[in-house]
């Protein structure tokens, strides 16, 4: 239903510019990469960035599905009317200076929504960074492309959203869509959750929330959508000081965090406490759901195994009690110093072959619902973490009983290539015990809500 | 007193090797970069990596302060005796297979300590990665050089320690010393804390602990040292599952975490819950101590300001109530949409000049004890976070009233250069609200323990 925001046949940029210091320059530059048709609208210039420009959106000799408005504030209203007369379906208003400015701005914003609805249009924004779809290659924002992936990310703070897009470009997490909702004058979290529930490219929905206006509808939709697809929410303004700051920032009433948290839980939403928790949980859902809460940990060093066991415990998951047979088989090829009890410590000498055999045995063990494969930097000369990653991947391909596997590769850039390999196989790979812990928790919790895991 | 482990005049490597698949190869290769004299000892080869080798440490025609033993286990005892006869002062035993192997190994380990003490030698290890001093340029390990910095890091897990050294190479944190203590047969946490208390290059001491043997002495020393220098501890094995895993890993009794935590707190140790908390806290101490708990936050985007306010609150710190005058002055040059109440939201248009003026005013405000300067990716074309960093640095240089400043630059590699600038000025720079929050907490907590902060 909101398809025209993500896969429009054609896009017009009102305020497309030749001046690199203007947002309209970046927006049009980004949109030129889109596979659909893109039209610059500029009141003065006849050509924008090498493309024939139109004085008015109505002059475009083609249907326009999506319009991006990035003109100065005083021209926004007329631009929107022009879009309506043109028959545009979706409008992204990047321009700021509306609801976030106080009562007068709120009134102007309501007027924009009335105009839009009169013409049957929907608005994302105003005061937003825009919208990205990494699968259709649409970047209707003024920021860099997000890394492609499976998480739909909706942010109520444009700058924070942008910061997260930038931060993750070099991390093992990608987005299907990034939607900066700005003031949420029209299209809001509920609309987007509803839409994303049906989006095949999005395996999970991550929300950064500062304040919600229509709590009842939000909950009603979240309850429905979270039965199909995991929703993870990070709410800013937990503390009193934070809430006060949030309220002055977005103008929306932050409300007590306790109320939000209860509402999230009632709606089947997974609650994140930090940005990294939100991202760690969301990207776990490339994996199948576990049938229970029993986790097996394999590692080439004791310390990280212990730290991960701590996190598993903290999150209410359990260390699996391995079958006698599994332990005997592990004992048969692991060195005497190895620990064959869960967490299985294969010790530093473990190579790709040990990773493969151990992962396979653990996945085949009936007491194991989920596997976490840890690799700290191999300390022996001549080894690289890539062979460890390959061992895990080989086991995952051979054992097809649908158990989720998460990886924890803990040596910064030294394990970059290994992480790329795992990522290619859609095995979520983390760098910190707490991140993999919360990811395992998210899988089990969502499985529980779907009745896959019985408490 | 333990100087010979970190700044020896000469080092011998027993087991130095020409075979790149042996640890003795990496150890000698790393040590060749050391400014002091380095002698390879190898029973067969006459030359190791281009350097004349000796059959026995006793053949070296020079005094030897430090010996690194990386020979196969069956030769360790005799090697140690040779070192004793040679008059070596400190011995790092990298070779594994002792106390961690059970009763027999424990006995052999005790024997090593007896031999060492008989000759007046001290042992670090066995079963360790070795020792690094980034200031003397000594790398007596088989892993890559750590980044140079101000944190002394002692790890009871060699692999985890190595993983952390690798992970931090590309982060804004450096180490003065990295000490992998292995089985702690002789030199232990207490000895090292005592030594590091006097080490000018170490501004804070970070400990990764799996289990402590002599709790009484540990506490007694920690109590004394933490009066001078902050000690931050991360204890693995918090949960029952984790504790069981830890105990099977190091052979040391993990004990109840509650007991450890109480002991840490009584000893003035700051408790970290994760690796990143430990590192975030430790590297804050390049800054002066705050005189109180009132934090000012400045930001170019609301969201991160709110998240940081939440973390400040969670850690028992307070948002400073700014002076009327400060807010008036901020109002005079910040745009109307900016928030001049703490957290000060300078909004996205803020450039270096606004960062400079705002930081200066906040540092001069008598109600402010500590400043957190946040920069999310600048969303306007032509801006880079470097000018924002420069603004903060300029303010810090002008306002010399000794207030700590922490930075939060949240855009991954987009803010890399800005972070480098801040790092050069020793302003700790974080990427996540929770990290800067725990860092501010650590500064205030240590200041409190020294009586600088009353409360």
């Amino acid at each position: 239903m909101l398809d025209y925001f993500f896969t429009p046949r054609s896009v017009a940029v009102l305020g497309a510019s030749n001046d690199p210091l203007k947002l309209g320059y970046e927006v049009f530059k980004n949109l030129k990469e889109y596979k659909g048709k893109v039209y610059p609208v500029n009141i003065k210039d006849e050509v924008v960035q090498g493309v024939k420009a139109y004085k008015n959106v109505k002059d475009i000799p083609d249907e326009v599905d999506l319009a991006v408005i990035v003109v100065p504030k005083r021209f926004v209203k007329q631009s929107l009317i022009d879009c309506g007369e043109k028959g545009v379906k979706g409008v992204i208003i990047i321009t700021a200076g509306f609801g976030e400015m106080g009562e007068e701005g709120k009134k102007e914003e309501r007027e924009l929504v009335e105009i839009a609805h009169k013409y049957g249009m929907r608005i994302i924004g105003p005061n937003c960074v825009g919208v990205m779809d990494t699968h259709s290659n649409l970047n209707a924002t003024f920021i860099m492309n997000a890394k492609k992936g499976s998480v739909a990310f909706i942010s109520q703070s444009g700058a924070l959203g942008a910061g997260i897009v930038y931060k993750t470009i070099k991390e093992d997490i990608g987005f299907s869509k990034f939607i900066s909702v700005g003031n949420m004058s029209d299209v809001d979290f509920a609309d987007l959750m509803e839409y994303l529930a049906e989006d095949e490219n999005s395996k999970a929905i991550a929300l950064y929330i500062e304040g919600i206006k229509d709590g009842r509808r939000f909950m009603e939709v979240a309850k429905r959508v979270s039965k199909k697809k995991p929703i993870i929410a990070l709410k800013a303004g937990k503390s009193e000081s934070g809430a006060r700051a949030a309220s002055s920032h977005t103008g929306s009433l932050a409300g007590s965090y306790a109320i939000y948290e209860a509402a999230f839980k009632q709606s089947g939403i997974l609650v994140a406490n930090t940005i990294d928790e939100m991202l760690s949980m969301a990207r776990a859902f490339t994996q199948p759901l576990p049938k229970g809460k029993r986790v097996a940990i394999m590692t080439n060093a004791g310390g990280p195994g212990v730290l991960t066991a701590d996190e598993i415990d903290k999150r209410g998951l359990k260390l699996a009690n391995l079958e006698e047979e599994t332990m005997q088989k592990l004992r048969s090829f692991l060195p005497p110093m190895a620990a064959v009890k869960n967490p299985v410590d294969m010790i530093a000498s473990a190579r790709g072959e040990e990773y493969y055999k151990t992962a396979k045995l653990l996945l085949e063990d009936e007491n194991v619902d989920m596997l976490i494969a840890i690799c700290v930097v191999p300390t022996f000369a001549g080894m690289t973490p890539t062979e460890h990653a390959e061992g895990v991947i080989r086991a995952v391909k051979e054992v097809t009983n649908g158990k989720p596997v998460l990886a924890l590769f803990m040596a910064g850039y030294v394990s970059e290539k290994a992480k790329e390999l795992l990522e290619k196989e859609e095995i979520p790979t983390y760098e910190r015990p707490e991140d993999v812990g919360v990811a395992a928790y998210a899988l089990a919790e969502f499985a529980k809500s779907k009745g896959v895991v019985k408490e």
Side-chain angles (χ1 to χ4, degrees), chain A:
Chain A
M1 194 196 110
L2 299 176
D3 277 334
Y4 40 80
F5 281 111
F6 305 102
T7 52
R9 288 165 305 173
S10 57
V11 190
V13 180
L14 286 72
S17 174
N18 283 311
D19 177 357
L21 292 177
K22 292 202 167 148
L23 294 185
Y25 175 89
E26 294 292 333
V27 172
F28 190 70
K29 193 172 136 239
N30 283 338
L31 271 170
K32 274 166 71 184
E33 308 299 315
Y34 183 55
K35 58 178 185 183
K37 285 179 209 145
V38 184
Y39 300 102
V41 177
N42 184 304
I43 195 113
K44 282 183 306 208
D45 299 348
E46 301 207 335
V47 172
V48 171
Q49 300 182 36
V51 180
K52 176 183 162 37
Y54 298 87
K55 297 253 175 281
N56 191 301
V57 65
K58 293 189 283 185
D59 303 337
I60 296 170
D62 184 10
E63 283 182 62
V64 174
D65 284 347
L66 175 65
V68 184
I69 295 183
V70 60
V71 298
K73 195 203 152 195
R74 63 188 182 281
F75 303 127
V76 169
K77 185 176 156 185
Q78 187 54 51
S79 298
L80 189 65
I81 294 172
D82 293 342
C83 287
E85 292 179 353
K86 175 66 186 169
V88 168
K89 289 166 188 146
V91 182
I92 298 167
I93 305 180
I94 288 176
T95 309
F98 293 91
E100 79 278 16
M101 293 297 285
E103 282 317 313
E104 184 57 30
K106 283 204 175 71
K107 211 183 111 201
E108 292 172 309
E109 196 172 293
R110 278 194 298 272
E111 220 184 321
L112 294 183
V113 177
E114 278 162 26
I115 293 167
H117 287 184
K118 183 180 137 196
Y119 289 102
M121 295 187 293
R122 300 297 307 267
I123 295 176
I124 288 182
N127 184 27
C128 75
V129 165
V131 166
M132 269 186 221
D133 184 320
T134 58
H135 293 263
S136 74
N137 208 27
L138 175 104
N139 181 352
T141 76
F142 49 87
I143 66 170
M144 281 187 255
N145 287 324
K147 188 164 168 174
K148 190 172 171 173
S150 65
V151 177
F153 172 37
I154 312 177
S155 179
Q156 206 172 354
S157 163
L160 189 75
I164 290 175
V165 165
Y166 286 178
K167 149 189 157 74
T168 49
I169 286 175
K170 294 207 175 168
E171 290 176 14
D172 172 27
I173 159 162
F175 299 105
S176 53
K177 291 175 168 63
F178 164 60
I179 306 146
S180 161
V181 288
N183 295 354
M184 292 201 299
S185 65
D186 179 26
V187 173
D188 61 7
F189 285 121
D191 297 318
L192 290 165
M193 287 190 290
E194 205 148 42
Y195 175 76
L196 292 166
E198 308 301 329
D199 178 36
E200 281 185 8
N201 296 322
S202 302
K203 303 233 165 103
I205 302 168
L207 313 175
Y208 169 73
I209 298 172
E210 298 195 341
I212 290 169
K213 285 161 193 170
D214 187 351
R216 188 182 295 266
R217 178 145 178 273
F218 177 92
M219 281 182 71
E220 183 266 310
V221 173
K223 234 175 232 171
R224 208 156 11 91
V225 172
S226 67
K227 290 214 172 77
K228 283 193 205 169
K229 205 168 268 189
I231 304 172
I232 299 101
L234 169 63
K235 168 77 176 66
K238 291 182 191 61
S239 63
E240 209 196 305
S241 341
R244 217 173 39 222
S247 136
S248 81
H249 174 44
T250 55
S252 63
L253 196 65
S256 145
Y257 183 64
I259 294 174
Y260 272 100
E261 203 174 13
F264 290 158
K265 285 187 177 162
Q266 266 186 53
S267 319
I269 291 179
L270 295 162
V271 179
N273 290 307
T274 63
I275 295 168
D276 285 78
E277 275 193 18
M278 175 181 75
L279 299 174
S280 297
M281 291 203 252
R283 70 205 186 80
F285 290 93
T286 53
Q287 289 298 295
L289 295 182
K291 303 258 178 342
K293 301 166 116 187
R294 300 164 305 171
V295 180
I297 297 174
M298 55 186 274
T299 178
N300 63 343
V306 176
L307 292 174
T308 305
D310 283 344
E311 295 293 334
I312 287 305
D313 186 274
K314 182 178 143 194
R315 298 287 177 180
L317 303 169
K318 285 182 192 131
L319 276 193
N321 289 314
L322 303 182
E323 300 265 8
E324 256 326 307
E325 201 193 330
T326 304
M327 293 195 277
Q328 272 173 29
K329 283 184 183 162
L330 287 169
R331 179 59 74 213
S332 74
F333 64 88
L334 290 176
M337 281 166 74
V340 298
K341 234 179 130 181
N342 191 17
V344 177
D345 182 1
M346 303 173 289
I347 76 171
S349 55
R351 308 200 59 147
E353 191 64 15
E354 281 81 11
Y355 268 77
Y356 159 68
K357 284 186 185 164
T358 303
K360 195 160 181 256
L361 283 167
L362 293 176
L363 284 170
E364 282 167 350
D365 190 309
E366 290 199 349
N367 295 333
V368 172
D369 298 311
M370 203 178 335
L371 173 64
I372 295 178
I374 302 178
C375 178
V376 195
V377 52
T379 45
F380 284 98
M383 267 194 240
T384 74
T386 46
E387 65 172 274
H388 303 78
E390 280 157 357
V392 174
I393 291 166
R394 207 174 127 204
V396 167
K397 287 192 171 161
E398 282 183 25
V399 185
T400 54
N401 56 13
K403 292 182 187 174
V405 178
L406 303 171
L408 173 64
F409 273 55
M410 288 186 73
Y413 79 94
V414 175
S415 37
E416 246 165 42
K417 278 199 181 139
K419 283 186 278 190
E420 276 168 29
L421 290 176
L422 290 157
E423 195 183 354
K424 209 179 286 169
E425 301 297 330
E426 297 202 320
I427 298 172
T429 305
Y430 300 86
E431 290 199 29
R432 310 184 306 161
E434 59 272 31
D435 291 342
V436 78
V438 82
Y441 158 80
L443 286 172
E445 200 64 17
F446 185 62
K448 202 173 88 186
S449 79
K450 293 192 77 166
V452 182
V453 167
K454 314 279 179 214
E455 179 64 31

